[in-house]
Amino acid sequence: MTRSGQAVLSYNVASLLRAAPGTERRYEIEIEGLPIALGDVRLAAPIAGEVRLSRTGRSILARVELTTAIDGSCSRCLGDVVAPIDVSLEEVALPTIDIDSGLPLDPADEPDALRLDEHHELDLDQPIRDAIVLAEPIALLCRPDCRGLCAVCGADLNSDPQHGHPEDDVDPRLAALASWREHSEPN
Ligand SMILES: [Zn+2]
Ligand SMILES: [Zn+2]
């Protein structure tokens, strides 16, 4: 399905624009990682899903459902986490050229809609990238009950559940102060 020299997530909708309103086309997505980096987000699994394109009046409605996974780190213990994510997005795309007359259409109309290019090509690459970045969970956990790191020494409490610091195990300077107080206490 991928044609060389063209963006992976790009679809030509010229024939769909000529089809009856309500006509739908489905395309499978199977990508082993996007060719361009997603900022700080690293994909840990291929992107798999489906794009549904339908003609609604003079525009194209694109609905995308996909799953992938991202590499992250646990917000408590900083360990590596692979987080599966589901992404769904819906975009409206308008032609820049009238499919019948070949005349340019006014782009000031509906500024929020995507634009098809002059060959009626719909490029979903950027919207899909943005949706994946937005789907990144805010606070990843390696497991729901991750015990995190020791606040005193930074030890990983998952690998050492008994870890603790006895109450008298304090800064030596404070220990000296405590013993001085003990001795100076009036009986
Ligand atoms: Zn963790
Ligand atoms: Zn500790």
Side-chain angles (χ1 to χ4, degrees):
M1 177 161 44
T2 311
R3 290 151 299 174
S4 61
Q6 296 210 295
V8 177
L9 294 165
S10 187
Y11 303 89
N12 195 287
V13 296
S15 71
L16 188 55
L17 285 168
R18 292 194 182 94
T23 304
E24 186 179 81
R25 305 257 157 89
R26 291 166 177 249
Y27 302 89
E28 249 180 68
I29 305 178
E30 184 72 61
I31 307 170
E32 296 286 332
L34 290 174
I36 303 170
L38 290 164
D40 294 337
V41 175
R42 278 172 303 140
L43 293 181
I47 296 171
E50 189 181 54
V51 175
R52 284 182 295 153
L53 304 178
S54 50
R55 195 195 143 190
T56 59
R58 61 193 192 91
S59 63
I60 297 290
L61 176 65
R63 278 171 293 192
V64 183
E65 303 278 344
L66 57 87
T67 59
T68 181
I70 56 165
D71 262 330
S73 48
C74 175
S75 59
R76 288 188 199 153
C77 74
L78 311 179
D80 290 338
V81 184
V82 170
I85 53 170
D86 295 321
V87 176
S88 64
L89 66 145
E90 213 173 277
E91 297 281 351
V92 172
L94 291 168
T96 43
I97 303 279
D98 186 277
I99 189 75
D100 297 318
S101 68
L103 295 172
L105 296 166
D106 185 6
D109 237 22
E110 300 188 49
D112 293 338
L114 293 177
R115 295 283 149 185
L116 305 177
D117 73 6
E118 62 275 25
H119 306 294
H120 309 290
E121 194 79 25
L122 170 59
D123 188 357
L124 291 174
D125 188 89
Q126 195 58 49
I128 286 177
R129 243 172 250 280
D130 293 346
I132 291 172
V133 172
L134 282 176
E136 181 185 20
I138 291 162
L140 283 176
L141 290 177
C142 60
R143 56 187 215 212
D145 61 345
C146 171
R147 305 167 78 101
L149 302 178
C150 171
V152 177
C153 71
D156 185 346
L157 301 181
N158 296 308
S159 52
D160 185 8
Q162 304 307 317
H163 182 87
H165 297 268
E167 289 205 25
D168 58 355
D169 185 9
V170 291
D171 189 306
R173 287 162 301 174
L174 294 179
L177 186 64
S179 96
W180 174 77
R181 276 220 185 107
E182 238 165 64
H183 290 118
S184 59
E185 212 94 53
N187 290 331

